[in-house]
Amino acid sequence: MRVAQLNFYPLKSGRGISLTQAQIAPEGIPGDRRMMLAEPNGMFVNQRDMPVLAQLEVYPEDDGFRFAMSGKGEFRVAGPTPDKRADVEVWKTIVNAAVADAQTNATLSSWLGREVQLVFFDEQAKRTASAEWAGPDTPVTFADGYQVLVTTTGSLAGLNADMEKHGEGSVGMERFRPNIVIDHPDPFDDDQWEAIEISGVRLEFVKPCSRCIMTTQDQVTGSRDVPSPMPAMGRVRMSADRRVPGVLFGWNAVPRSTGLIKVGDEVTVLGRHEAWPIKQRA
C-alpha cells in the first residue's frame, strides 16, 4: 500500500489543494482548515447550506492568501492580526478566532450573496477533538471534528461498483474531501485498521466518518445535479453502531507522531480489530 493523494483545505468547505508532500503535525496538515466563514452571530457556514463555497479557491502566499472565484475575480487577504477577535461556533464548540478586516468580509459577502465574516484559527485559538474518541488534549482546527481524514482507493472502487450496478453513475474521491488517500485494493478494509504508519508517522484510526449531503455536490461547481453516492452508501455503508449513526466512508485519524509524508510513501497497517458493524441490505 502507498499514499496515492495528499490534500488540504485552507478554508473550511472551500476547494481543496493537492500536495506532493505534507508535514503531519499534532493538529494534522499545517494550514488545513485554519480559515472559516461564519455568520455575523458566529455560527459557521459550510457547503451543506451554501454549495457555492465549492467554487471558492484559497491559495496561501508568503504574506497572506489569494482568494479567487469563477466570475468574481480575485483579491488578496492579509494574515490574521490578534487584536480583532470573535467567538465562533463549529459543531457546538466555541472558538475564539481572529476576524478578517471589514473590506475582506464585505467582498466575500458580496461574492456569496450573504453576510459572512472570515475568521482565522490563529495561535491564540484553541480547540480539541472529542476526548471520548481521540483521547485527551488532541488539538484540532476548524475541521468537523478530527485532525486527519483517511480514505482508500479500494473503498471508492467498491462504492462506485455498487453505483454502476444500479445505474447511478460514479463519483470521484474529491467528493469525500480526504487528507490522505491510500492506494489499496480491498474495499472498506480500513474498517479493521487500528492505526497506520507512513514514513515513521503513526496515525491512529479513532472513528469512522459519517457522511452528509456534501458528498452529493460537485466539488468544482457546487452543483447537486450530478451522480450522488448517498443511495449506494445507504445500501453498503449504513452503520449498525448507534454511536456513529448514518452512512460511513473513510476514517478520522489522530496523529500520534509527527513528520513529513509524501505521495508514493509506503503505508503499513499497525494492528487490526473487528470490523465496524455495517447493516446488511439487499
Side-chain angles (χ1 to χ4, degrees):
M1 295 190 300
R2 296 192 178 274
V3 175
Q5 296 178 29
L6 294 169
N7 306 291
F8 85 121
Y9 307 85
L11 176 72
K12 183 177 181 65
S13 274
R15 195 173 296 176
I17 296 175
S18 296
L19 303 169
T20 58
Q21 62 181 32
Q23 288 287 338
I24 301 296
E27 72 277 13
I29 296 177
D32 187 54
R33 297 173 174 94
R34 294 193 76 99
M35 288 178 284
M36 182 176 75
L37 294 176
E39 297 178 345
N41 65 4
M43 180 61 66
F44 79 107
V45 174
N46 61 26
Q47 280 191 40
R48 295 166 184 82
D49 55 7
M50 191 182 285
V52 72
L53 284 177
Q55 299 180 26
L56 191 54
E57 302 172 77
V58 181
Y59 301 98
E61 297 186 340
D62 289 342
D63 55 351
F65 305 90
R66 178 167 56 89
F67 279 61
M69 191 171 179
S70 178
K72 303 292 185 180
E74 63 180 51
F75 70 104
R76 293 180 56 79
V77 175
T81 56
D83 54 328
K84 185 180 181 184
R85 312 193 66 79
D87 285 342
V88 294
E89 181 176 344
V90 52
W91 296 120
K92 299 182 180 180
T93 62
I94 303 299
V95 177
N96 185 254
V99 181
D101 63 273
Q103 183 58 54
T104 292
N105 292 333
T107 300
L108 290 171
S109 297
S110 175
W111 279 13
L112 299 170
R114 175 174 170 181
E115 189 175 359
V116 295
Q117 57 182 333
L118 176 68
V119 297
F120 299 87
F121 198 100
D122 65 356
E123 295 304 317
Q124 294 185 29
K126 305 296 179 186
R127 184 175 178 231
T128 57
S130 167
E132 177 185 0
W133 294 95
D137 302 323
T138 62
V140 67
T141 58
F142 288 134
D144 275 358
Y146 299 90
Q147 293 82 353
V148 177
L149 179 62
V150 182
T151 62
T152 73
T153 57
S155 295
L156 180 64
L159 185 65
N160 277 331
D162 186 84
M163 290 181 66
E164 290 163 3
K165 175 183 175 182
H166 289 84
E168 296 167 351
S170 63
V171 295
M173 191 67 85
E174 74 281 353
R175 293 288 190 93
F176 302 97
R177 298 174 64 83
N179 295 115
I180 300 173
V181 180
I182 296 171
D183 188 7
H184 179 55
D186 298 338
F188 314 116
D189 191 45
D190 48 332
D191 278 351
Q192 301 179 55
W193 298 352
E194 292 181 356
I196 58 173
E197 184 176 303
I198 308 170
S199 295
V201 177
R202 182 173 182 270
L203 295 161
E204 183 179 348
F205 281 34
V206 298
K207 187 181 182 184
C209 186
S210 57
R211 311 311 306 217
C212 69
I213 197 172
M214 280 182 63
T215 63
T216 72
Q217 297 165 189
D218 186 286
Q219 287 300 303
V220 174
T221 66
S223 172
R224 292 177 182 164
D225 188 20
V226 290
S228 169
M230 290 297 280
M233 286 194 289
R235 289 187 293 266
V236 302
R237 295 298 298 161
M238 182 63 71
S239 176
D241 187 327
R242 287 183 291 180
R243 294 178 300 163
V244 186
V247 295
L248 310 176
F249 190 93
W251 274 78
N252 294 297
V254 177
R256 300 305 189 191
S257 57
T258 61
L260 181 69
I261 66 175
K262 300 177 181 179
V263 170
D265 281 352
E266 186 174 355
V267 180
T268 302
V269 175
L270 302 177
R272 289 176 173 269
H273 51 62
E274 185 177 349
W276 188 272
I278 298 295
K279 293 180 181 178
Q280 300 299 313
R281 295 190 174 183

